[in-house]
Amino acid sequence: ESLARRWLAPAPWLLQPLEAVDAARDGLPACVVALLVDSQAFCHPRLERHVARWRSQVSEQFLGMAEAAPSERLIETAAALACHCFFVGYCIPCHAKLAGTKSCHAEDSALKEALHPGGTSPVAWLVSAMYEAPCSDPPAALVSSASDVAPLQELIARSRRHPAEEDQLLEGLERLVARPAQPLDTPCQAFYDTTVYPPWHHAVESVGVLPMPLHERLARLFPWRETNGQRKEAAEATSRVLIAGCGSGHQVAVELRTYTAVSELVALDCSERTVAHAKRKLRTVLTDEEFAKIRFVVGDILDLSPDCPAAAGGFDLVICCGVLHHLK
């Protein structure tokens, strides 16, 4: 993927292979569609410049079609762009003015009408999905055509089906403390209830990591730490791991691929929506044996105590990444 981005969106002084691509007229090349739908990276500046231009071209094409049915190629292109914008959190400006391209502004009446939540036509839903997360189910006509358009299938799954599945998981989640009748959301919890972080698809960046038991990795890092007797005893034991601030589940997958002999991994986060997302996502990525080791828990790490069932027996390893700046 890194090589693909470097070739498709190289340094400004090199040949730009994507400059001549007109998304509305020609559609996007298959390699670009795949990169937009499955990219693990977000906010790649040179690629986002092209995405803004293509989104503008496709929007203008859609809005100028009147009652004509869009082609399958145009639907595929729009869905791929929407998938990418959904993944990066719609951080690409709506008002980007690009040389040689008529910019598609949110103030334009046609686009404003298409972005209205009440828009129910396939065109209105697709145009809206390129600019903001869909707030309504896709029209039946669009769903019926999705079987032939893979990016559209993925867009519908990410924007509607997956959140619905996560809603069903919320009530069954374990909690550090009883859920109050009227929860008082912290700014951190409120943010991560609406923003899944980090965004990821199916790849787990553990390539090059040699999986080994925790005690063996510690022995390699700190060879003076244990006596031979302690190492023998540790070799016969399993490890409990706590990920304090598990986020969307990517860190959980990485650690499970890094350490062997893990008896239980507690994935803890203050955002119930984030924990539900992690549980749904990891169910599709991990093996049954790996998934069975995970204990998903909602709660504030400051509420952890020896009396909590999830913390009973303590932990052999605590992983806390990108969390401390949220604590007071």
Side-chain angles (χ1 to χ4, degrees):
E1 178 188 335
S2 178
L3 289 173
R5 288 199 309 274
R6 291 179 188 180
W7 182 81
L8 293 170
W13 56 86
L14 297 175
L15 178 66
Q16 302 293 315
L18 297 181
E19 286 290 353
V21 173
D22 186 316
R25 184 191 64 208
D26 309 318
L28 295 176
C31 61
V32 175
V33 170
L35 185 65
L36 292 177
V37 173
D38 295 318
S39 174
Q40 286 287 117
F42 52 98
C43 302
H44 184 268
R46 291 191 294 275
L47 182 60
E48 306 313 334
R49 176 177 174 273
H50 292 298
V51 170
R53 176 170 61 87
W54 294 332
R55 184 172 60 177
S56 175
Q57 291 171 346
V58 171
S59 297
E60 291 171 13
Q61 180 76 2
F62 269 134
L63 298 176
M65 293 180 65
E67 299 298 322
S71 67
E72 186 175 296
R73 185 72 180 273
L74 189 61
I75 291 175
E76 177 189 63
T77 296
L81 291 166
C83 278
H84 179 71
C85 292
F86 187 87
F87 180 73
V88 301
Y90 296 92
C91 66
I92 304 168
C94 285
H95 309 289
K97 284 194 174 183
L98 301 166
T101 303
K102 179 184 175 184
S103 184
C104 205
H105 298 288
E107 287 81 3
D108 290 346
S109 58
L111 179 58
K112 199 169 186 180
E113 182 179 348
L115 290 176
H116 191 275
T120 57
S121 72
V123 166
W125 194 89
L126 268 177
V127 171
S128 175
M130 289 193 293
Y131 286 86
E132 60 186 20
C135 56
S136 61
D137 291 331
L142 207 57
V143 174
S144 63
S145 63
S147 58
D148 300 321
V149 185
L152 182 56
Q153 283 184 333
E154 191 63 29
L155 174 62
I156 293 173
R158 291 181 193 177
S159 62
R160 307 305 299 170
R161 182 164 57 82
H162 292 169
E165 292 173 0
E166 292 159 16
D167 286 341
Q168 296 177 356
L169 294 173
L170 290 176
E171 290 302 322
L173 294 175
E174 180 180 352
R175 300 175 187 275
L176 278 184
V177 296
R179 189 181 193 181
Q182 293 183 331
L184 297 175
D185 293 341
T186 64
C188 175
Q189 180 181 341
F191 175 79
Y192 286 110
D193 273 345
T194 57
T195 305
V196 173
Y197 191 85
W200 62 295
H201 293 312
H202 303 288
V204 178
E205 288 85 347
S206 54
V207 176
V209 175
L210 179 64
M212 63 181 64
L214 173 60
H215 77 276
E216 187 175 334
R217 187 171 296 280
L218 291 177
R220 293 189 180 200
L221 292 173
F222 312 105
W224 60 87
R225 175 177 170 269
E226 299 171 325
T227 66
N228 289 334
Q230 288 174 320
R231 291 183 185 179
K232 182 178 179 181
E233 181 180 347
E236 299 172 353
T238 55
S239 304
R240 291 191 80 234
V241 176
L242 167 66
I243 298 186
C246 68
S248 60
H250 182 264
Q251 190 73 35
V252 177
V254 169
E255 302 308 331
L256 279 174
R257 303 286 169 84
T258 302
Y259 298 102
T260 60
V262 173
S263 59
E264 184 175 58
L265 187 151
V266 175
L268 172 67
D269 202 279
C270 67
S271 164
E272 63 176 15
R273 175 74 51 185
T274 291
V275 176
H277 177 90
K279 187 172 184 177
R280 178 197 60 77
K281 191 63 172 286
L282 290 168
R283 174 67 281 184
T284 67
V285 173
L286 302 178
T287 65
D288 291 341
E289 182 180 359
E290 289 173 326
F291 186 77
K293 296 178 180 180
I294 308 173
R295 184 171 183 170
F296 296 92
V297 183
V298 179
D300 192 321
I301 63 175
L302 298 179
D303 292 331
L304 269 175
S305 73
D307 298 328
C308 298
F315 300 99
D316 301 288
L317 175 67
V318 176
I319 298 163
C320 188
C321 180
V323 172
L324 297 182
H325 56 279
H326 290 302
L327 306 179
K328 293 184 178 179

